[in-house]
Amino acid sequence: AITVAGQPVVSDARFDLDWDATNTRIREFAGTVGGGQVTFDLGVCCAGPLPDKRVTGRLTLTDVALDAVAPAKVADALEGRLSGAAQFDATGGDLRSLLAGMTGQGNYSLADFRIQRLDPNAFAAAEQLGDVLNEDALVLAASLVDTLDGAPFVAKPVSGSFTIAGGVVRSPNLAIESDVARLFGSTSLSLADLALGGGFVMSPTTSSGPDSLVNDATAQIAAKLGGTLPEPQRSFDVSGMIDAMKARALELEVARLEELRAEDEARQKAAAAERARIAAEQARQREAEEAARRAAEEATARQRAEEEAARRRERERQVPSTDIVGPLDLGIN
């Protein structure tokens, strides 16, 4: 076994160690670590009067638990099983200069990967933040960041690559996905002082409704990495997302008011049309009533005229007729 600070790190270890006048080598190192396997080859050459040495090596890890190879605080934040391979080359007079000048490359994959206190459902929670339009942006940001502590980010299998240049390990363009969200970004680690850098942006992968305050274009939670590998630091920036949500809320409110105005105008137009229809109907009714009245008056007048004519005829029939004759002839001469 190989121990660090009294704690076993590698069990079932075996390797060959050989050396000559200029080289020292560890060949075919193999062992068990974190439930997985590690293999290692290391060479140190150019022993002589010059202080600089050249170190070359290859390392592979297969299905190793992260908490077995990561510092305690990193292991508290990350869970999973690591597989990967790396090769490296460095020249220097001491360990720090070797690390500061190291070059190399490699690749890795992570299974059962979880990031603690990075709840991907924070975007759904953002929809429930309340009166986004009128609430203070700092209050909304603090509330949204608090929701990230609710659950871990449970990732699908992850794979990536890295380079080592000038003693800095960089893993660019790394995409990590869960069922509802995606992380995209990069990380860096300075080997000489173990300083961490980089960051990720989390965005949703599920589509939102047309009236949602959160969509693929505006929903972004930025996480910045800092500190050192033994003492990592993480901070979040949600100000851009809050500003976008406020702008979207304003758009929706303006659209709602425009819709209400259009509906009110439509109601007013409908009411005016109804009033015009009723007025026209009343006018037609008055005209019909006036026509009926005139017709009734004309009928009454005709009836009266007919009755008067009938009475006149009746009177004429009742008066006796008299013949008018000439002077009475009495036979007097």
Side-chain angles (χ1 to χ4, degrees), residues 269-292:
K269 289 180 179 179
E274 180 64 15
R275 288 194 297 271
R277 185 192 68 79
I278 292 173
E281 182 66 25
Q282 290 174 345
R284 287 193 298 270
Q285 185 175 357
R286 286 194 296 270
E287 291 176 357
E289 290 175 352
E290 181 64 19

Side-chain angles (χ1 to χ4, degrees), residues 136-327:
D136 183 77
L138 294 178
V139 175
L140 291 172
S143 179
L144 180 57
V145 170
D146 287 343
T147 64
L148 295 171
D149 289 336
F153 187 103
V154 181
K156 299 177 181 179
V158 179
S159 61
S161 62
F162 62 88
T163 60
I164 309 172
V168 178
V169 183
R170 292 183 175 87
S171 180
N173 303 323
L174 177 60
I176 305 173
E177 291 194 6
S178 73
D179 291 335
V180 296
R182 176 190 300 109
L183 289 170
F184 186 80
S186 62
T187 59
S188 66
L189 172 66
S190 174
L191 296 175
D193 56 10
L194 299 182
L196 281 172
F200 289 84
V201 172
M202 183 167 68
S203 57
T205 57
T206 55
S207 59
S208 55
D211 294 335
S212 174
L213 299 181
V214 178
N215 56 51
D216 296 343
T218 61
Q220 293 185 343
I221 298 175
K224 183 179 180 181
L225 302 179
T228 64
L229 192 62
E231 295 290 337
Q233 297 176 358
R234 181 181 66 174
S235 60
F236 295 105
D237 183 3
V238 297
S239 58
M241 179 174 170
I242 295 298
D243 290 343
M245 290 175 64
K246 280 182 168 290
R248 179 58 178 159
L250 180 59
E251 290 177 2
L252 293 175
E253 180 64 13
V254 170
R256 186 184 70 84
L257 294 176
E258 286 293 329
E259 183 178 357
L260 290 177
R261 184 184 63 81
E263 290 176 354
D264 185 60
E265 289 181 353
R267 284 193 297 268
Q268 292 180 4
K269 289 180 179 179
E274 180 64 15
R275 288 194 297 271
R277 185 192 68 79
I278 292 173
E281 182 66 25
Q282 290 174 345
R284 287 193 298 270
Q285 185 175 357
R286 286 194 296 270
E287 291 176 357
E289 290 175 352
E290 181 64 19
R293 185 186 64 78
R294 288 196 299 268
E297 289 178 351
E298 292 174 357
T300 301
R302 286 194 302 271
Q303 183 178 1
R304 289 177 179 174
E306 291 174 356
E307 290 176 351
E308 182 63 24
R311 286 194 295 272
R312 190 171 53 249
R313 289 193 297 272
E314 182 64 23
R315 287 195 300 268
E316 290 175 355
R317 283 196 300 269
Q318 291 176 357
V319 175
S321 61
T322 56
D323 296 333
I324 300 175
V325 297

